[in-house]
């Protein structure tokens, strides 16, 4: 039986822009886009990632399919998306192997917005944010359980319940 090794990516640069506008109330930060997200050219592009199902359930809306639908969903619901890391070395999509080379300028991104809460999608995003950015950005932050398929211990129902603070910050 032949096993396949995960690719090691070095000097990888974040491939897409943040989604944000002046009406955004919550900024959801991941760590860095997965291989599938990079191939699909948008955030949370792995078919087993539950981000879109969780947020759609929270807002009692259908799960958006296309990039245009996802962008519209985010804007309508006043959610901004970006990642903490702008360049890194990483093996496959594993956050545990992620070595940040450069962080995104989240402080500049937030200027002129109504963002009142930052949500980190998973422990790695939270760890990197706390260690490098939280002191300079004086907006409340909460780490929520990762929607990644690697976080299989969390059912969809548990994730939806755990992600309810997102709603409170938007209302």
């Amino acid at each position: 039986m032949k096993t396949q090794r995960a690719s090691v990516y070095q000097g990888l640069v974040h491939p897409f822009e943040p989604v944000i506008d002046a009406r955004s109330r919550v900024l959801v930060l991941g760590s860095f886009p997965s291989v599938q997200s990079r191939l699909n050219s948008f955030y949370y592009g792995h078919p087993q990632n539950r981000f879109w199902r969780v947020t759609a359930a929270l807002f009692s809306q259908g799960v958006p399919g296309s990039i245009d639908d996802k962008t519209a969903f985010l804007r309508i619901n006043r959610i901004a998306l970006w990642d903490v890391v702008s360049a890194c070395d990483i093996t496959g999509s594993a956050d545990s192997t992620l070595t940040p080379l450069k962080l995104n300028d989240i402080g500049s991104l937030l200027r002129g917005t109504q963002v009142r809460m930052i949500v980190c999608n998973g422990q790695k995003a939270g760890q990197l944010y706390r260690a490098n950015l939280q002191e300079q950005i004086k907006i409340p932050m909460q780490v929520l359980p990762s929607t990644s398929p690697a976080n299989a211990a969390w059912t969809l129902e548990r994730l939806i319940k755990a992600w309810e603070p997102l709603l409170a910050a938007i209302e």
Side-chain angles (χ1 to χ4, degrees):
M1 186 164 122
K2 191 175 183 181
T3 52
Q4 194 173 24
R5 289 184 162 198
S7 296
V8 176
Y9 300 95
Q10 294 183 316
L12 199 58
V13 176
H14 199 291
F16 26 89
E17 295 295 315
V19 177
I20 192 166
D21 64 24
R23 293 183 60 245
S24 299
R25 293 278 199 284
V26 174
L27 171 60
V28 176
L29 291 172
S31 54
F32 192 81
S34 70
V35 172
Q36 277 300 131
S37 293
R38 296 190 307 266
L39 290 172
N40 291 322
S41 301
F42 203 66
Y43 299 90
Y44 306 108
H46 191 291
Q48 299 307 314
N49 190 301
R50 290 144 319 156
F51 177 81
W52 298 108
R53 286 178 277 165
V54 166
T55 53
L58 288 172
F59 291 97
S60 301
Q61 297 175 5
V63 178
S66 69
I67 292 173
D68 287 342
D69 290 346
K70 290 173 181 176
T71 302
F73 171 87
L74 294 168
R75 292 192 192 287
I76 288 166
N77 294 299
R78 296 174 288 182
I79 300 170
L81 278 186
W82 209 16
D83 290 307
V84 177
V85 177
S86 66
C88 68
D89 294 339
I90 191 169
T91 300
S93 298
D95 274 356
S96 62
T97 68
L98 188 146
T99 303
L101 302 175
K102 185 176 178 190
L103 301 177
N104 279 316
D105 185 358
I106 293 165
S108 292
L109 177 77
L110 295 173
R111 281 191 207 107
T113 70
Q114 298 177 33
V115 171
R116 56 176 96 153
M117 181 180 194
I118 294 173
V119 169
C120 290
N121 187 350
Q123 293 300 316
K124 186 65 170 190
Q127 171 197 13
L128 291 168
Y129 182 85
R130 274 192 194 106
N132 301 288
L133 301 165
Q134 188 168 19
E135 203 167 292
Q136 70 188 33
I137 300 171
K138 305 295 184 198
I139 296 173
M141 185 274 289
Q142 186 166 3
V143 178
L144 297 179
S146 175
T147 59
S148 166
N151 188 17
W154 281 74
T155 64
L156 180 60
E157 293 73 26
R158 277 183 74 200
L159 283 172
I160 293 166
K161 184 75 175 154
W163 275 70
E164 285 178 354
L166 183 96
L167 282 176
I170 291 174
E171 295 171 350

